[in-house]
Amino acid sequence: MSLSARPHRHDVLIAVIGLSGGLVLWLTGLHTQNGRLLDAHWVTLVPLAVMAGLELLRRSAPRTALVVGTLTLVADQFTTGSLATVLMFTDIVYAAVLYGTPAAARRIPVATFLVTVAVTIGFLAWYRTAEALLIGVVTGLVSFGPAITGVSVRNHRDAAETARLRADQTALLAEMDRAQAVTAERSRMARELHDMVANHLSAIAIHSTAALSIDEPDTSRDALGVIRQNSVDGLAEMRRLIGLLRAGGADARPSAAPTLASLDALVEQAGANSASSGLTVTLTDTREEPGRLPAPVELAAYRIVQESLTNALKHAAPGPVAVGLGRSGNLLTVEVSSVFGSRPGPRAPGSGSGLVGMRERVALLGGTIEAGPVSAGGGTKIWQVRAELPVEEGTLGT
């Protein structure tokens, strides 16, 4: 801070109080010493006024105030002296440690200690009496004492500032963690909502289009039956999701999350939904021990099959849709294939969210997934989704 900066109001108050106290002492004729070189009564006011002026710089220019204040205190020793001048000097030493640079805060206490020791030894050698020790004590009280006080206050201030910064950083990290948790939860909810509803709504869209475009009573009746069944199932899934979102509420009784044991019903329903489109859905489970797996793995595998069947219903050409489950060591393999190509009849548009959701689920479990057209021999192509999921609890990323 520059010397021309406006003094702090507390510094102005200290300067006014110090100067006023010194004037009262001067008017009453109270001095700290007698028989000095400059014993004129008015000369004492000069160091007093200079020291009061330096109080205005105690915060903005502490080093300058200390250097000039030390010279002023030495000059005051040649006058009859004023207690107010000495007290203001102690405040300047204190301020130099408190508001000065870190280097000054380290050096000033050391320097004042050495000065105190030197003065004590010097006057003790000069006077050769025990009373000379009092001069050293006074020197320590005027210089070393305020410096040590400034160090203590500065350390407490720095510790408080460090604690405040640490609290701000902790609050910032907590807010970042909260934002990340909210984002992750919203992504999870979006995946669940898409996977639970997309299959039913796709079937409804395709069969309602077929009922509207084909004017045959039997076809319309079959389509309406599929639409009704998917509407009921979709509402059940929505109630389950709402129950999960209301966790802790009085009416929150969400059903259990789907597992691999539910794949038979899923495949059967998908076959009924896609029969009119020329698709035949089959399930093959080659696992030697089809027992329960960790819940996140079973849910992810179920959703992958569900989304793959939904995509087959919307995009696959007439032909077989094969769902396969297998296990090799600690990996669960999920594979769904369908005929790749265009097909006649109504189709439902896709947004690509299903593939994104499958990849996110597999990534959370630390597995791998591939989805795309592959050659099946004979010049034909199939659309294949193949995922490998770790089945050990310790490998789960959720």
Side-chain angles (χ1 to χ4, degrees), residues 190-277:
R191 287 195 303 269
E192 287 294 320
L193 181 61
H194 177 274
D195 293 343
M196 286 192 298
V197 179
N199 183 41
H200 302 296
L201 292 183
S202 297
I204 291 173
I206 291 176
H207 285 84
S208 61
T209 302
L212 292 173
S213 60
I214 302 175
D215 189 14
E216 295 181 3
D218 293 339
T219 302
S220 299
R221 186 179 298 106
D222 294 339
L224 290 175
V226 174
I227 290 173
R228 181 188 180 281
Q229 184 61 42
N230 279 276
S231 300
V232 172
D233 293 341
L235 286 173
E237 293 282 10
M238 285 296 295
R239 290 192 187 98
R240 191 182 79 85
L241 179 60
I242 293 173
L244 292 174
L245 296 178
R246 288 178 177 173
D251 58 346
R253 292 180 175 85
S255 60
T259 63
L260 293 181
S262 307
L263 282 183
D264 290 332
L266 177 63
V267 169
E268 182 180 352
Q269 181 188 33
N273 292 340
S274 59
S276 61
S277 300

Side-chain angles (χ1 to χ4, degrees), residues 23 85 94 137 139 165 231 235 257-258 281 284 303 307 398:
L23 289 175
T85 302
Y94 165 81
V137 172
T139 303
L165 292 176
S231 300
L235 286 173
V281 185
T284 303
R303 294 303 186 197
E307 178 60 28
T398 56

Side-chain angles (χ1 to χ4, degrees), residues 376-388:
T380 61
K381 286 188 176 182
I382 61 173
W383 180 273
Q384 184 181 74
V385 176
R386 179 181 174 84
E388 293 183 346

Side-chain angles (χ1 to χ4, degrees), residues 90-113 143-159:
T90 62
D91 178 69
I92 288 176
V93 175
Y94 165 81
V97 175
L98 183 60
Y99 302 115
T101 63
R106 293 190 302 268
R107 294 170 183 169
I108 291 175
V110 176
T112 54
F113 175 76
S143 59
F144 183 65
I148 290 298
T149 304
V151 169
S152 177
V153 174
R154 181 173 183 136
N155 289 339
H156 284 293
R157 184 192 66 181
D158 293 344

